[in-house]
Amino acid sequence: MAEGILDASNLNGGQRLAVKYFTVAVVLFVAQIVFGLLAAQQYITPSFLFETLNFNVTRLIHIDAMIVWMLFGFLGSVYWLLEEESGSPVVGLRLGNLIFWVLTAAVTVVVLVFLFIQYGPGTWFTIWFINEGREYIEAPRWADIGIVIGLTVFFYNVVATFMRGRWTGIGRVLALDLIALGGLYVAGMFFTPDLTIDQFWWWWVIHLWVEATWEVLVGCIVAWGLMKTLGVRRSIVTTWLYIEVALMFGAGILGLGHHYFWIGTPEYWLWIGGFFSALEPIPLVAMVVHAVYDSGVHRLKSSNHPATAWFIAQAFGNFLGAGVWGFMQTLPQVNLYTHGTQWSASHGHLAFFGAYATINIAIFYLAVQQWRGNVWMGSDLPGSGWKWKWSLGLMNGGMLGMAVALLIAGYVESFLERAQMGSTWQAYFAAQTHPWFTSAMWWRQFFGVMMAVGMVLLVWDLATIGRHETRRAERPEPEATAGEPATA
Amino acid sequence: MAQNQAWWASERFWRAAAVLITGGMAVALIFLTIDTYPAMEPGGSKVPPYTVINKRIDYQYSDKAKHEVPVIGGEAPLFGKERSPAEAKAMVTKGKMIVQGRNCMDCHTLLGNGAYFAPDLTKSWLDPGWGSPRVRESMMVHFLENPPKYGRGYGSDRRMPDLGISKQEAHAIVAFLKWMSAIDTNGFPANFHSIRQ
């Protein structure tokens, strides 16, 4: 086993595949931030890249790169933990590798088409091969089919591996969640002229992915990660995982109704969506309690400090971004004035970053540690670990600053455009040109640049942390157990 | 330790709770979807038939609903031509396909969903910015054919790019927008001031 250098012999089969997914995920993460900066600049100077890369292109790549990098991060994370958790080599690994290359090639083609062809006429050809034109799932239909095939192979890898090895609580939850993940995507793969029916099913994909199945997937990854980095007892993380599933699906499935307030559905969705989505922060509180409690019990003594810090950032970021920011505008009486304004952008930024970017970054650090031969990543890192600490601070601070700036912009829209001026186009532009709005957009860009600097440090740190390190990682101290393994 | 554990804190209890709650909620969602579907279909209680493009549409406060609702009036054929149900459906379908193909949703919002760089299109057919119903159709078509020239930024520098929209395509987009404005959106957008007609 080589120490201090990136050596594939330090990894098991699933982990070798995982680091490929992580590498593409980081590239797409960088693309997301670059195109986010471009789109943010277009709010400030609308002539910037006008009719070269219009806002709908920069924004499209900004949000789709995000979806794909996070998905790649999740796939990689599951491959990363699969062999350890199941006690068996990954079944069908060659097929899994093939699918990785197919998905990566497909993503590359889709991005190139988005960049250089951008849009097409209103024909089936456009929907199948250029742009489906539905936010978040703009990828053309051929790519949709590729994603479903890829998720099916992924599901086979996971289930067959657990079947050959041993089923754990995490494994069972993961397998059931992946059925929902793949199945729900199909709900968005059709065309109808009826916009209400279109958006009804579109939300099945977007909401039930982001506010239900992704959250549970992350719950599985965090559960495994807490065992790995802190040595938390398996029965504790598994019980917490079941609690989170019960609360997450209990609130999140009918919480879908908060997207059905204004799209042409019966009024009872105002009650159902309002009630259940108001409950959605509860499992996120549970996750915070879980992470903080376990970290406290172990006195923050962990085998990987950057990963642990990002795990804790995930707990708070998820609660704040998805929970608090979501709750602020989820009741229909408030949402009537915030729906379709920068409130949603503020919530979206903080929630996606807090819930999903953070967890992926935590796993990236675990991966780099093992890739370099399970080297030391506790305290006393060279330079006191300034790169990971500064990137953590800059990225979280930058994101929080962006979210607050967008929230201020959203308030201007709610009050001026919606409440006072009656939601006309003139009212819209009155809000967009208001000094409070325009200054908020400058602040958003300032904090966006701060985040980008943090991103540069993060990539630099991931590429260098543990290099030339000869100390072995400290094994987390397992809790006193009652006849069960502390870690997988 | 395990022997002293309360039943409500046990792994077994929460596993059963997770399965039952998830299953129960999924079943509830399926039943609600079945109940909601008829209202969402064209001609249902919330969504107009495609032939609404032959009618006059307004958006007025309802004392009964306590919010604004679409009001369908007398004959007002789009571009002066009465269309059969099949023709109207074909025209709205074409319009929506163009809206998707030009990726309008990554600048605008439709029913409040999309991006926030450009105005919401939900009630754009009824926007008072078109001046009067008499000139509205031709203004919309001119605007779509050449947005940088005919667009109005109301003091903003933001402009819509030229997306190569032909006259025929513009007609279909306008049909889609007119049909969309008649969807009963439970009062969204609130306090909207409709074009005088």
Side-chain angles (χ1 to χ4, degrees):
Chain A
M1 181 180 275
E3 286 177 6
I5 54 169
L6 293 173
D7 187 339
S9 68
N10 295 321
L11 306 175
N12 63 40
Q15 290 173 339
R16 284 180 206 172
L17 177 53
V19 294
K20 292 178 190 162
Y21 274 107
F22 293 155
T23 307
V24 177
V26 171
V27 171
L28 290 169
F29 188 15
V30 172
Q32 184 207 349
I33 291 186
V34 169
F35 280 87
L37 291 173
L38 296 179
Q41 191 59 38
Q42 288 173 322
Y43 265 102
I44 297 167
T45 45
S47 58
F48 179 58
L49 295 175
F50 185 67
E51 296 203 326
T52 306
L53 278 181
N54 290 315
F55 180 85
N56 65 346
V57 178
T58 55
R59 199 254 190 189
L60 157 65
I61 295 177
H62 175 58
I63 60 171
D64 282 18
M66 175 193 73
I67 296 286
V68 177
W69 91 255
M70 288 178 176
L71 196 60
F72 268 46
F74 296 151
L75 298 187
S77 298
V78 173
Y79 280 121
W80 183 266
L81 62 83
L82 192 53
E83 294 200 9
E84 282 191 24
E85 185 65 13
S86 67
S88 161
V90 175
V91 176
L93 189 58
R94 282 168 70 100
L95 190 58
N97 266 295
L98 176 69
I99 284 297
F100 163 77
W101 289 109
V102 170
L103 285 177
T104 303
V107 168
T108 308
V109 172
V110 169
V111 170
L112 290 174
V113 169
F114 283 165
L115 270 176
F116 296 107
I117 298 179
Q118 300 185 351
Y119 58 81
T123 60
W124 283 104
F125 181 84
T126 300
I127 286 176
W128 271 88
F129 297 104
I130 300 176
N131 189 331
E132 207 172 327
R134 297 159 80 209
E135 190 190 15
Y136 293 113
I137 49 174
E138 292 92 342
R141 187 66 48 80
W142 73 266
D144 290 339
I145 293 168
I147 288 169
V148 172
I149 293 170
L151 287 175
T152 306
V153 170
F154 175 62
F155 176 75
Y156 161 71
N157 285 152
V158 171
V159 171
T161 306
F162 276 113
M163 285 176 74
R164 180 182 286 180
R166 61 168 180 261
W167 280 101
T168 60
I170 292 175
R172 288 193 189 94
V173 173
L174 197 56
L176 290 172
D177 195 56
L178 291 180
I179 294 175
L181 190 76
L184 287 168
Y185 193 78
V186 179
M189 287 169 52
F190 72 101
F191 173 86
T192 167
D194 185 333
L195 186 64
T196 297
I197 289 178
D198 177 331
Q199 293 200 355
F200 185 89
W201 292 110
W202 175 69
W203 279 119
W204 273 54
V205 185
I206 310 302
H207 172 95
L208 292 177
W209 262 33
V210 172
E211 294 182 53
T213 52
W214 278 25
E215 287 278 7
V216 169
L217 190 60
V218 162
C220 294
I221 297 167
V222 170
W224 180 84
L226 289 175
M227 286 195 298
K228 186 79 180 167
T229 56
L230 293 171
V232 181
R233 195 145 48 93
R234 174 174 289 279
S235 66
I236 290 182
V237 294
T238 309
T239 306
W240 269 111
L241 182 60
Y242 290 141
I243 293 172
E244 285 159 13
V245 171
L247 297 175
M248 197 71 74
F249 282 145
I253 290 177
L254 291 186
L256 170 65
H258 69 166
H259 300 294
Y260 292 164
F261 295 161
W262 324 118
I263 67 167
T265 49
E267 284 201 41
Y268 60 67
W269 281 106
L270 271 64
W271 298 97
I272 294 169
F275 180 79
F276 283 95
S277 65
L279 299 178
E280 282 187 53
I282 293 174
L284 308 181
V285 177
M287 284 174 146
V288 171
V289 173
H290 175 30
V292 171
Y293 175 81
D294 284 328
S295 303
V297 164
H298 293 264
R299 295 191 178 87
L300 285 173
K301 195 170 179 193
S302 89
S303 56
N304 189 318
H305 278 211
T308 305
W310 279 104
F311 276 129
I312 294 170
Q314 194 273 342
F316 282 99
N318 198 3
F319 170 63
L320 199 62
V324 176
W325 251 247
F327 181 79
M328 284 195 302
Q329 53 171 317
T330 201
L331 296 177
Q333 293 76 8
V334 177
N335 193 261
L336 180 58
Y337 294 92
T338 62
H339 178 56
T341 69
Q342 300 290 342
W343 279 67
S344 306
S346 174
H347 167 49
H349 277 75
L350 201 53
F352 272 111
F353 179 79
Y356 303 125
T358 47
I359 184 71
N360 276 316
I361 295 169
I363 300 293
F364 295 163
Y365 272 106
L366 287 181
V368 168
Q369 181 181 34
Q370 182 66 34
W371 203 356
R372 288 196 183 278
N374 199 23
V375 292
W376 179 269
M377 282 196 192
S379 58
D380 195 25
L381 284 169
S384 298
W386 71 272
K387 287 199 286 282
W388 78 259
K389 288 174 184 169
W390 272 93
S391 70
L392 178 87
L394 286 169
M395 292 184 81
N396 282 282
M399 179 49 77
L400 197 59
M402 276 196 284
V404 171
L406 289 169
L407 188 63
I408 291 167
Y411 267 101
V412 179
E413 291 179 286
S414 297
F415 287 128
L416 189 60
E417 176 196 331
R418 297 288 173 79
Q420 288 184 339
M421 294 186 66
S423 308
T424 60
W425 284 28
Q426 188 174 13
Y428 171 84
F429 282 110
Q432 303 295 309
T433 52
H434 193 283
W436 292 352
F437 184 98
T438 53
S439 57
M441 286 297 139
W442 274 105
W443 279 111
R444 190 269 289 270
Q445 186 67 312
F446 170 79
F447 285 110
V449 171
M450 182 193 284
M451 174 136 186
V453 173
M455 174 79 203
V456 171
L457 279 181
L458 175 74
V459 175
W460 183 15
D461 196 41
L462 286 170
T464 56
I465 192 169
R467 195 162 60 179
H468 310 308
E469 180 67 67
T470 52
R471 291 171 293 174
R472 300 281 296 169
E474 196 178 20
R475 252 184 93 80
E477 283 176 29
E479 288 176 19
T481 57
E484 57 170 325
T487 58
Chain B
M1 186 178 160
Q3 300 90 303
N4 299 328
Q5 196 174 45
W7 61 269
W8 52 266
S10 70
E11 190 178 322
R12 199 174 153 183
F13 170 77
W14 282 105
R15 184 172 57 205
V19 171
L20 287 174
I21 290 173
T22 303
M25 288 300 165
V27 169
L29 178 60
I30 290 166
F31 274 107
L32 286 166
T33 299
I34 292 169
D35 187 72
T36 297
Y37 227 80
M40 299 191 296
E41 289 181 310
S45 60
K46 306 296 280 189
V47 175
Y50 297 115
T51 48
V52 81
I53 63 172
N54 295 324
K55 306 285 185 185
R56 189 167 66 82
I57 299 166
D58 203 353
Y59 188 59
Q60 294 172 358
Y61 185 81
S62 157
D63 272 332
K64 188 177 168 209
K66 301 295 179 196
H67 56 68
E68 289 92 345
V69 295
V71 177
I72 312 303
E75 298 302 313
L78 189 64
F79 302 111
K81 186 188 169 196
E82 181 90 12
R83 287 174 172 81
S84 69
E87 287 171 331
K89 183 181 179 185
M91 197 170 183
V92 172
T93 302
K94 186 71 182 166
K96 182 163 180 283
M97 273 193 151
I98 297 165
V99 165
Q100 287 188 214
R102 297 303 203 282
N103 196 22
C104 302
M105 206 180 179
D106 270 310
C107 281
H108 293 275
T109 45
L110 307 160
L111 306 178
N113 293 310
Y116 321 115
F117 193 68
D120 181 47
L121 298 179
T122 309
K123 303 294 176 194
S124 56
W125 168 257
L126 300 171
D127 197 274
W130 303 117
S132 78
R134 194 172 50 80
V135 297
R136 169 173 51 190
E137 290 171 3
S138 63
M139 282 184 76
M140 289 179 91
V141 170
H142 279 115
F143 169 61
L144 288 165
E145 282 183 300
N146 194 343
K149 186 174 176 186
Y150 295 109
R152 290 171 67 184
Y154 295 96
S156 158
D157 292 335
R158 266 183 245 172
R159 289 170 296 162
M160 178 169 155
D162 185 350
L163 297 173
I165 295 169
S166 67
K167 178 168 278 197
Q168 197 186 13
E169 286 181 317
H171 280 218
I173 293 172
V174 173
F176 172 69
L177 295 176
K178 183 175 182 182
W179 171 80
M180 178 166 62
S181 74
I183 297 174
D184 182 352
T185 48
N186 294 333
F188 175 85
N191 191 30
F192 178 78
H193 305 309
S194 188
I195 191 170
R196 290 180 68 176
Q197 35 190 334

